[in-house]
């Protein structure tokens, strides 16, 4: 070995020794050993990061109107799915429930509610869950917020509006829970583009004491339910429960970021 090649080997040595040892993980019951990246993490962590990037680029490039046009075949399938649920329901309603408590230094229940009504919430919505495609909200003349949404749950990719999100109407929808421990609540119909009400959304928020959970900061509890006719399969409700918990976490995190960065100035 020449002197020169010994020198270049020595130059390489710090990198060789600094490299993390191979990483072993079990996927689908099989063992995989990998190395290369400076920071070795489970495959799912790299893959989720890349999936978020790809979805974000696709959604932004195609845009809301392009997505609505491209997804028409899926939207038609979802319309059929919901009409079948309604036709096979007995008149009783069942919920898909998801709850989450977030411990974030700058978030309170009233701040989360105010952020949720701001344009920042629409902007965050497409990243709140991979199955979010479109959300745009307009303020109606009577002050009610009307949202147009394309969203999927386990592939049931639905185009709908929420035309009346506001104080829960327990006369029209007596199945909505009272939840007296939640001071901030809103509800609204989920309406297919043909005018059919296929669900009712109910979101409640409250402050919780960090000390009750061994946490440094007080927390915010978000309790979301979507009510459907009892013809819906529990397997579908389970997709929605999973979806809701992802959404609660990501939206609470984004609200915290927007307050921390000063993009959102909480009025309280
Ligand atoms: C956010 O929390 C940090 C840490 O508690 C605090 O210093 C800061 O003033 C808070 N900002 C707002 C806008 O509440
Ligand atoms: C506002 O108008 C919309 C659309 O007509 C209606 O669905 C909603 O119930 C109204 N809200 C109130 C508070 O009157």
């Amino acid at each position: 070995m020449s002197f020169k090649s010994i020198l270049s080997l020595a130059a390489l040595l710090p990198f060789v020794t600094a490299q993390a040892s191979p990483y072993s993980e079990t996927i689908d019951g099989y063992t995989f050993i990998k190395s290369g990246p400076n920071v070795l993490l489970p495959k799912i962590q790299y893959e989720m990061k890349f999936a978020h990037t790809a979805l974000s680029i696709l959604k932004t490039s195609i845009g809301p109107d392009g997505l609505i046009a491209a997804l028409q075949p899926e939207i038609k399938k979802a319309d059929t799915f919901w009409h079948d649920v309604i036709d096979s329901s007995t008149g009783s309603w069942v919920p898909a429930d998801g709850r989450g408590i977030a411990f974030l230094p700058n978030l309170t229940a009233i701040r989360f509610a105010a952020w949720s009504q701001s344009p920042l919430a629409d902007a965050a919505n497409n990243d709140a869950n991979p199955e979010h495609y479109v959300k745009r909200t307009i303020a109606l003349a009577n002050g009610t917020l009307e949202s147009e949404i394309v969203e999927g749950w386990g592939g049931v990719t639905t185009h709908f509006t929420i035309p009346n999100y506001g104080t829960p109407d327990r006369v029209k929808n007596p199945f909505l829970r009272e939840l007296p421990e939640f001071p901030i609540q809103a509800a609204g119909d989920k309406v297919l583009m043909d005018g059919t009400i296929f669900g009712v959304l109910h979101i409640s928020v409250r402050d919780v004491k960090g000390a009750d959970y061994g946490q440094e900061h007080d927390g915010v509890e978000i309790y979301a339910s979507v009510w459907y006719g009892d013809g819906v399969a529990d397997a579908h409700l389970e997709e929605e429960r999973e979806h809701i918990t992802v959404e609660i976490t990501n939206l609470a995190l984004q609200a915290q970021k927007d307050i921390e960065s000063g993009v959102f100035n909480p009025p309280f």
Side-chain angles (χ1 to χ4, degrees):
M1 192 180 273
S2 72
F3 181 63
K4 204 173 158 212
S5 64
I6 288 170
L7 261 189
S8 52
L9 233 180
L12 270 175
L13 219 53
F15 297 99
V16 173
T17 52
Q19 202 174 45
S21 46
Y23 183 91
S24 172
E25 63 182 319
T26 305
I27 300 169
D28 286 351
Y30 302 105
T31 299
F32 293 83
I33 298 172
K34 72 188 174 197
S35 60
N38 289 334
V39 181
L40 282 163
L41 295 171
K43 177 192 82 122
I44 189 82
Q45 293 204 23
Y46 301 136
E47 199 171 18
M48 278 305 295
K49 180 181 69 172
F50 299 139
H52 278 298
T53 302
L55 280 170
S56 172
I57 288 172
L58 273 172
K59 289 173 186 176
T60 310
S61 304
I62 298 171
D65 292 318
L67 284 162
I68 289 169
L71 292 169
Q72 277 310 307
E74 293 301 317
I75 289 168
K76 288 203 171 65
K77 278 192 238 166
D79 287 344
T80 303
F81 176 92
W82 291 117
H83 277 283
D84 287 348
V85 167
I86 292 165
D87 292 346
S88 59
S89 295
T90 66
S92 293
W93 294 72
V94 291
D97 295 319
R99 296 171 78 147
I101 307 179
F103 297 95
L104 298 159
N106 295 123
L107 207 60
T108 60
I110 197 154
R111 284 179 170 191
F112 183 74
W115 177 86
S116 300
Q117 308 253 318
S118 78
L120 292 165
D122 273 6
N125 199 268
N126 266 0
D127 293 327
N129 188 296
E131 285 196 80
H132 285 201
Y133 301 94
V134 174
K135 183 174 178 227
R136 42 191 178 192
T137 303
I138 50 165
L140 299 179
N142 63 10
T144 300
L145 294 176
E146 179 178 89
S147 291
E148 180 191 3
I149 296 168
V150 179
E151 182 176 342
W153 307 278
V156 182
T157 307
T158 310
H159 187 192
F160 63 104
T161 65
I162 302 180
N164 53 2
Y165 193 64
T167 307
D169 183 345
R170 293 191 176 81
V171 176
K172 191 173 129 223
N173 299 317
F175 49 84
L176 295 179
R177 297 187 184 101
E178 291 287 343
L179 304 178
E181 67 277 30
F182 284 83
I184 302 173
Q185 300 192 22
D189 293 331
K190 294 174 69 165
V191 184
L192 296 177
M193 300 316 279
D194 68 7
T196 306
I197 296 174
F198 71 104
V200 181
L201 172 66
H202 181 196
I203 300 179
S204 306
V205 193
R206 67 169 170 177
D207 294 310
V208 302
K209 286 267 157 256
D212 291 348
Y213 297 87
Q215 295 293 319
E216 186 186 342
H217 304 290
D218 287 343
V220 177
E221 180 166 15
I222 302 163
Y223 184 169
S225 300
V226 189
W227 292 83
Y228 296 114
D230 61 358
V232 71
D234 194 66
H236 179 84
L237 297 179
E238 185 64 9
E239 296 278 359
E240 293 219 17
R241 294 177 195 121
E242 294 174 3
H243 177 117
I244 289 167
T245 59
V246 172
E247 198 174 353
I248 286 173
T249 307
N250 285 339
L251 289 178
L253 204 52
Q254 190 59 46
Q256 164 64 30
K257 284 181 185 161
D258 287 345
I259 295 169
E260 202 177 316
S261 69
V263 172
F264 181 66
N265 289 303
F268 320 96

